[in-house]
Amino acid sequence: MRAVIVAVGVAFLISLFCTPIAIKVFARLKAGQPIRSNLGLASNEGKKGTPTMGGVVFILATVIAYVAGHLALTTLPDAQIAQVEPTITALVLLGLMVFSGAVGFIDDFLKVRKRHSGGLNKRGKLAGQILVGALFGIVALYFPSTMKDPSGTATNTETVGSTTLSFIRDIPALEIGKVGAVIVIIMVVMAATNGVNLTDGLDGLATGASVMVLAAYALIAFWQYRHWCADPNYTEAYCYAVRDPLEIALIAGAAAGACVGFLWWNTSPARIFMGDTGALGLGGLIAGMAMSTRTILLLPILGGLFVIITMSVVIQIISFRTTGKRVFRMSPLQHHFELAGWSEVNIVVRFWIIAGIGVAIALGLFYSEFLAAVT
């Protein structure tokens, strides 16, 4: 627990105190977010020139905090330092965050360079998401753990990902094989990155929602660590067959802490935007969390706000192409309420409440499954 707390604190402080530096640097480089002024959105007023690409700060803060958390691990008792060395789990999770963020950075860079809201084209962004998902999906499935007990016997040979679909745990009846699992991971990465990206339309909205989801994954992973199948004190009836749960908790906590520090400057009126750099980076990490904690089918509930906003876009497109009519005044959904007269702050806070409800339901399902297993 000490390592997780250290990682959260370090990430928060780095993000809190380095974001103002990033604001000055990006402002000096004239890396302002291009704003479309013809949409009639009140939230767009006064935002022209606000620095973007702020996601760079909390991505770097998460990576640095991970290192700090590992330094804290070296002070734990011998029986608990099986995860002191960096693991494949960390490589996959941080890799998904960094490389998904890199795809977003290219998009942001092109927007700033062209002084236009159109950056990387849809095919380019899609290709980047598929490549990142495939690369780390393969790593997640083809590199089993080599953790051993004091006698030298392998005690945990799990991979980061699983060849079966999962809800609270793996569902043995839903075996899909390694190729199928890689395809599922790609789809989850695409869904999560685009979901967070579409939610990132109002000051602090995506950041605050991501904090809740990442904090929930930190709790889930730490609970799995305390009831881990690699620990001989727990039986198969209720232990969790995952790989490196403490690593997962540490990274999720670090990312949540980094986002809280960034939110100080990103809340309305935002002094910096996360940009596609931050949105795609967070989406990639959240996808990795669902995969590594074996809760892929729980993710749509845990990230319920992202699902709702994404579906509003899908519904709008389908309706307009089939009937020529729009269901919403504008999509994503947050802009529909803007045009309906809601203030930006009201929309953000109410959507945060929706995000919190999704997280609460998901955590309730997770814990109730554990209670059912032990009784």
Side-chain angles (χ1 to χ4, degrees):
M1 187 63 176
R2 184 189 310 170
V4 177
I5 293 173
V6 168
V8 172
V10 169
F12 170 74
L13 292 173
I14 291 175
S15 192
L16 180 66
F17 291 109
C18 289
T19 299
I21 298 173
I23 292 171
K24 293 179 180 179
V25 170
F26 288 137
R28 194 169 299 169
L29 294 174
K30 297 182 179 180
Q33 174 70 44
I35 301 293
R36 294 176 63 183
S37 58
N38 61 340
L39 298 178
L41 298 174
S43 63
N44 284 351
E45 296 179 8
K47 293 187 178 182
K48 186 175 181 180
T50 301
T52 187
M53 296 188 283
V56 169
V57 178
F58 58 71
I59 290 174
L60 289 176
T62 301
V63 174
I64 294 171
Y66 168 75
V67 176
H70 263 264
L71 292 177
L73 278 175
T74 60
T75 65
L76 292 175
D78 290 343
Q80 298 181 22
I81 61 174
Q83 296 177 304
V84 168
E85 296 298 327
T87 63
I88 292 294
T89 302
L91 172 66
V92 170
L93 294 178
L94 294 177
L96 281 168
M97 188 181 198
V98 171
F99 282 88
S100 293
V103 175
F105 183 85
I106 294 171
D107 187 38
D108 286 333
F109 177 79
L110 292 176
K111 288 177 183 177
V112 171
R113 186 176 181 181
K114 296 176 181 178
R115 305 293 177 188
H116 189 271
S117 58
L120 187 64
N121 61 50
K122 293 180 180 179
R123 290 184 179 179
K125 190 180 291 187
L126 182 64
Q129 292 168 335
I130 292 173
L131 180 61
V132 171
L135 173 62
F136 290 100
I138 291 170
V139 174
L141 288 162
Y142 286 86
F143 290 87
S145 172
T146 56
M147 186 180 295
K148 298 180 179 180
D149 62 20
S151 68
T153 303
T155 59
N156 182 25
T157 56
E158 296 286 343
T159 53
V160 180
S162 174
T163 57
T164 65
L165 293 180
S166 57
F167 182 54
I168 305 299
R169 306 169 190 266
D170 285 338
I171 305 171
L174 298 181
E175 173 73 34
I176 55 177
K178 288 187 177 180
V179 174
V182 171
I183 293 173
V184 168
I185 291 169
I186 292 171
M187 293 172 63
V188 174
V189 168
M190 292 172 59
T193 51
N194 286 309
V196 178
N197 198 24
L198 290 171
T199 305
D200 182 33
L202 300 179
D203 294 350
L205 178 56
T207 309
S210 296
V211 168
M212 297 181 206
V213 174
L214 289 167
Y217 272 124
L219 290 172
I220 287 172
F222 192 76
W223 184 264
Q224 291 176 331
Y225 172 64
R226 299 297 295 177
H227 304 85
W228 192 18
C229 289
D231 188 332
N233 294 320
Y234 297 105
T235 65
E236 288 188 23
Y238 63 92
C239 69
Y240 295 93
V242 297
R243 176 172 177 176
D244 308 321
L246 186 58
E247 289 277 88
I248 303 169
L250 193 154
I251 294 170
C259 285
V260 172
F262 181 77
L263 185 60
W264 183 274
W265 307 101
N266 182 236
T267 193
S268 183
R271 292 185 57 188
I272 189 170
F273 301 136
M274 70 166 69
D276 280 17
T277 304
L280 268 61
L282 287 175
L285 179 59
I286 289 171
M289 290 290 158
M291 170 186 63
S292 58
T293 58
R294 311 293 172 87
T295 55
I296 283 179
L297 297 180
L298 187 66
L299 178 58
I301 301 173
L302 196 58
L305 178 65
F306 303 139
V307 174
I308 291 170
I309 289 178
T310 301
M311 289 307 300
S312 74
V313 176
V314 173
I315 291 169
Q316 186 86 322
I317 292 172
I318 293 174
S319 177
F320 187 75
R321 289 184 178 179
T322 56
T323 68
K325 297 180 180 180
R326 292 180 172 86
V327 176
F328 307 103
R329 300 183 184 191
M330 182 180 292
S331 66
L333 188 61
Q334 60 267 33
H335 297 314
H336 166 82
F337 289 106
E338 267 197 281
L339 293 178
W342 291 21
S343 70
E344 181 174 11
V345 172
N346 276 344
I347 296 170
V348 170
V349 172
R350 288 168 180 171
F351 276 37
W352 279 353
I353 292 172
I354 294 172
I357 291 171
V359 167
I361 292 172
L363 289 176
L365 290 171
F366 180 84
Y367 185 61
S368 62
E369 189 275 343
F370 176 81
L371 290 180
V374 297
T375 55

